[in-house]
Amino acid sequence: MKNKSNKKHMKWTKKQIYSFIAKVVFMTIGSILYSIGLEIFLIPNNVIDGGIVGISIITNHFIKLPLGILTFILNVPFFVFGYKQIGKSFALSTIFSVICYSIGVNFFNPIPGITKDILLASVFGGIIVGFGIGLIIRNGGSTDGSEVIAIIIDKKVSFSVGQIVMFFNFFILLFAGFIFGWDRAMYSLIAYFIAVKVIDIIVEGIDESKAIMIISERHEDISEEIMNRLGRGLTLLDGKGAYKGMETNVIYLVVSRLEIAEVKKIVNEHDEDALVTIGPVDVFGNKYKKKGMH
C-alpha cells in the first residue's frame, strides 16, 4: 500500500510537466543569450564579466584552455560544496544552466565580435548578458558559483548576498585592471552595472509592484477615489494610534510602480497630513489584477 501511495504522490500533473518544460526552455534560451553576450560582445574587446566567469576569462588569458571547459571546471566544486546549503532543485537548475552556457561559450568562440567599439560592446554585451542571466534566475537557476558561496557566507555574517557578490566582483575587476588595462576594467564595470539593472527588470518585471499603506482620518474618501480612478482593490486594516488611542482604518493596497504618483496625488487632494509608506513587494495571485481583468 505504501509503495502505491508513493507512486501516486510522485506522478506529475500536466501543469507541472508544462511548467518544467517551460523552465528548461527559458533557462536554455537564457544560457544562449549569456554566451552570445560574452563571446560576441564582451570577451573580444577584453571586457569581462564578474564572478567565476570573470575569473575564468582572466585565467584563460594565461592558460589557453577553452573558456567553456574552464568555466565549468571552476563552477562545479562550488555547487558540489553548497549542494546541501542551497537545495536540490536550485543546485540542479544551476548546474544545468552552467553546462548550457559553457557549451554555448565554446560554440560561439570562433565567431568574431560584432563591434570593436568598446563602449558599444560594453552596453549591448551588458544588456544581453543581463537578459540571459535574468531568464535563468527567473526560472529557478543561477549562473555562478560565487553566488552559492555568498549564500553560505550570508548565513554567518551580517552582509547580504548581493553585497558579498559585489565584494567578490570588485576584486575580480580590480585584478582585471592589472591584466587588461584600467580602461578595460572601467568598461567591464559599465557592462556589469548594466547587466545587473537588466537582471532586475527581467526578474522583477518592468511593472514592478509596490505595497502602499495610508493612514488618514479621511480613509473612506481616499479609498473610494483610488478604486474609481485606478480600478484597484484595496484592504482596510483596523488600526489604533498609540499616543491618542484613536481607532482608525489603515488603507493597504498594491500598485504598479507607474501608479504611485497617482496614489500620492489622490491622497494629497483629500488629506495633506496623511501618512503614506511605500515599499517593494512580491505579488502573485489574481486578486492583484485590476477590476475587469479577471
Side-chain angles (χ1 to χ4, degrees), residues 23-146:
K23 283 186 176 184
V24 171
V25 170
F26 281 117
M27 285 202 302
T28 303
I29 293 171
S31 299
I32 292 171
L33 289 173
Y34 188 22
S35 305
I36 291 172
L38 286 174
E39 283 293 346
I40 306 298
F41 289 91
L42 301 184
I43 295 176
N45 291 283
N46 287 328
V47 177
I48 74 167
D49 191 21
I52 301 301
V53 173
I55 295 173
S56 300
I57 294 171
I58 293 172
T59 305
N60 179 254
H61 183 74
F62 301 101
I63 304 172
K64 299 305 178 183
L65 191 67
L67 183 61
I69 295 174
L70 193 58
T71 302
F72 180 77
I73 291 172
L74 291 178
N75 263 306
V76 168
F78 291 100
F79 297 121
V80 173
F81 176 69
Y83 181 82
K84 292 182 180 180
Q85 302 287 332
I86 61 178
K88 182 180 178 181
S89 177
F90 180 71
L92 292 176
S93 297
T94 302
I95 290 172
F96 173 76
S97 301
V98 171
I99 291 172
C100 285
Y101 79 70
S102 295
I103 294 171
V105 165
N106 281 344
F107 177 80
F108 291 111
N109 180 259
I111 302 174
I114 288 179
T115 178
K116 291 184 179 181
D117 186 307
I118 307 173
L119 182 58
L120 284 177
S122 301
V123 172
F124 283 93
I127 292 171
I128 296 170
V129 164
F131 200 96
I133 295 175
L135 282 178
I136 292 169
I137 293 174
R138 183 160 185 159
N139 288 279
S142 180
T143 59
D144 205 275
S146 64

Side-chain angles (χ1 to χ4, degrees), residues 68-233:
I69 295 174
L70 193 58
T71 302
F72 180 77
I73 291 172
L74 291 178
N75 263 306
V76 168
F78 291 100
F79 297 121
V80 173
F81 176 69
Y83 181 82
K84 292 182 180 180
Q85 302 287 332
I86 61 178
K88 182 180 178 181
S89 177
F90 180 71
L92 292 176
S93 297
T94 302
I95 290 172
F96 173 76
S97 301
V98 171
I99 291 172
C100 285
Y101 79 70
S102 295
I103 294 171
V105 165
N106 281 344
F107 177 80
F108 291 111
N109 180 259
I111 302 174
I114 288 179
T115 178
K116 291 184 179 181
D117 186 307
I118 307 173
L119 182 58
L120 284 177
S122 301
V123 172
F124 283 93
I127 292 171
I128 296 170
V129 164
F131 200 96
I133 295 175
L135 282 178
I136 292 169
I137 293 174
R138 183 160 185 159
N139 288 279
S142 180
T143 59
D144 205 275
S146 64
E147 294 170 9
V148 177
I149 298 302
I151 291 170
I152 297 171
I153 295 175
D154 175 59
K155 296 178 180 179
K156 299 180 180 180
V157 298
S158 59
F159 298 106
S160 68
V161 172
Q163 288 172 330
I164 296 168
V165 171
M166 182 71 76
F167 182 77
F168 285 156
N169 289 335
F170 172 77
F171 282 100
I172 291 168
L173 293 175
L174 186 66
F175 192 68
F178 290 103
I179 306 300
F180 301 113
W182 295 109
D183 59 337
R184 295 302 194 273
M186 286 186 279
Y187 281 118
S188 297
L189 195 61
I190 292 172
Y192 174 74
F193 278 113
I194 291 173
V196 168
K197 190 60 182 177
V198 174
I199 290 169
D200 287 340
I201 292 172
I202 300 300
V203 174
E204 301 293 338
I206 295 175
D207 201 19
E208 185 180 356
S209 300
K210 299 286 184 180
I212 300 180
M213 295 186 75
I214 305 166
I215 302 173
S216 169
E217 293 179 359
R218 302 194 61 184
H219 54 268
E220 292 180 356
D221 295 332
I222 294 172
S223 301
E224 186 177 350
E225 195 75 9
I226 288 173
M227 288 188 288
N228 289 337
R229 280 162 64 171
L230 296 182
R232 288 286 184 189

